[in-house]
Amino acid sequence: MTTRLTSRTIFLLTLPPLLWAGNAIVGRLVHDQLPPVLLNFLRWGIAFFLLLPLAGPVFRRDAGLWRHWKRYAMLGLLGIGMYNALQYMALQSSTPINVTLVASGMPVWMMLTGWLFFGVPVNRRQVAGAVLSIAGVLLVLARGEWRHVLELRLVPGDLFMILATIAWSFYSWLLTRTTEPAGIRADWASFLLAQVTFGVLWSGGFALGEQALGAISVQWSWSLAAALLYVSTCPAIVAFGCWGAGVREAGPSVGSFFVNLTPLFTAVLSSAFLGEAPHGYHAAAFALIVGGIVVSARRG
């Protein structure tokens, strides 16, 4: 799938990686204050109540939510119940650099998922774009020195991130299906609340399982409350709303390249909040990632 990128589409697909970069930083900062799956449940539980005033009518009998409940249950499982829970779990045992490196394979998983399960062919431009984009991510992760990549070692947390990336690939492709009522699809808040409704049920069940396995106790504080407020609004409601609209306009394959802006934004945010000065390779990486986006989105 290829499309001409408009300024609106670029904005819709660029804002989520920026907000998700903040989500990764916050998730790492609070990883020892509450269990990862519980963090995901609380995040989406808060988002559910924030969305109610915006999209409460979606629960009416004639709104179509219940007639298409299987679709929303699947979207809620993949995008709400699984992806961030697995990411938060990955951050428990894996370093942020390894987690980001595993997530940089998103374009490859997206193309494979589209090809194997949705009948979408892969063209040379998408492959070339994937190579450029991943090269940019690797440049950031290697901090300008490739030997750092060779020194990486996989740990169990990296497997969680692989599973998260695969789940997100299926979620993004399912977004392109337009079987639900036009009224829900046209309203981003209703469309998101329909997914979150089932996603909260999934994540709640997973959180109960986590507690049964002996998870750590919650260390409540004002900083934790602020972290929950952030992850339940910006990277949840705002980012998911923009991502859904952007993917419907550009397609999952093109959207996957924008996801690779996340580690770049993470490096920038780390510079701002952790006192790490930016380097020249950040600019070079940005050029490679943007080049991958442009190449993959070009029409033949």
Side-chain angles (χ1 to χ4, degrees):
M1 181 181 295
T2 58
T3 184
R4 179 178 177 273
L5 291 176
T6 65
S7 57
R8 166 188 160 83
T9 306
I10 292 173
F11 173 78
L12 289 173
L13 293 175
T14 301
L15 183 59
L18 175 60
L19 299 178
W20 289 331
N23 180 56
I25 292 176
V26 171
R28 180 62 179 175
L29 288 174
V30 302
H31 80 281
D32 58 349
Q33 298 183 47
L34 78 169
V37 181
L38 180 59
L39 169 59
N40 190 57
F41 170 65
L42 293 176
R43 171 194 187 185
W44 290 109
I46 296 173
F48 174 84
F49 288 105
L50 292 176
L51 285 168
L52 275 179
L54 301 175
V58 76
F59 295 113
R60 294 183 308 190
R61 295 176 62 89
D62 60 345
L65 169 63
W66 309 118
R67 189 169 66 254
H68 297 270
W69 71 270
K70 291 182 180 179
R71 167 172 167 75
Y72 295 118
M74 182 58 66
L75 289 173
L77 171 63
L78 296 171
I80 309 298
M82 289 182 62
Y83 179 74
N84 267 120
L86 289 167
Q87 183 187 51
Y88 293 146
M89 290 171 67
L91 288 169
Q92 296 290 307
S93 58
S94 182
T95 63
I97 190 171
N98 271 36
V99 168
T100 311
L101 177 58
V102 173
S104 71
M106 178 70 74
V108 177
W109 289 112
M110 200 76 78
M111 287 188 294
L112 288 176
T113 301
W115 177 51
L116 292 174
F117 298 96
F118 294 87
V120 178
V122 176
N123 58 49
R124 294 180 179 177
R125 288 186 300 277
Q126 288 174 313
V127 174
V131 172
L132 286 173
S133 185
I134 292 176
V137 173
L138 290 175
L139 187 59
V140 171
L141 297 176
R143 301 188 297 278
E145 299 183 30
W146 294 109
R147 62 182 177 84
H148 290 305
V149 175
L150 299 178
E151 295 171 355
L152 291 173
R153 296 294 182 271
L154 295 179
V155 297
D158 300 322
L159 177 60
F160 288 133
M161 202 61 218
I162 291 175
L163 294 175
T165 304
I166 295 173
W168 189 259
S169 298
F170 278 96
Y171 170 80
S172 296
W173 278 110
L174 287 175
L175 284 178
T176 64
R177 301 293 180 90
T178 56
T179 58
E180 68 265 16
I184 295 181
R185 169 67 76 165
D187 181 9
W188 71 269
S190 296
F191 187 56
L192 181 55
L193 181 57
Q195 302 172 58
V196 172
T197 299
F198 292 96
V200 167
L201 296 177
W202 286 113
S203 58
F206 295 152
L208 288 175
E210 180 184 54
Q211 293 299 310
L213 294 174
I216 64 172
S217 59
V218 180
Q219 305 296 321
W220 290 107
S221 65
W222 286 112
S223 61
L224 178 57
L228 286 172
L229 181 60
Y230 172 78
V231 299
S232 62
T233 53
C234 295
I237 296 176
V238 177
F240 267 68
C242 291
W243 177 259
V247 165
R248 289 194 296 273
E249 292 184 11
S253 294
V254 174
S256 68
F257 291 94
F258 282 84
V259 174
N260 273 356
L261 289 171
T262 303
L264 180 62
F265 288 144
T266 302
V268 174
L269 291 177
S270 296
S271 299
F273 293 100
L274 302 178
E276 299 177 358
H279 301 280
Y281 62 79
H282 288 139
F286 182 79
L288 286 170
I289 294 172
V290 171
I293 294 171
V294 172
V295 169
S296 66
R298 288 182 57 190
R299 292 182 180 273

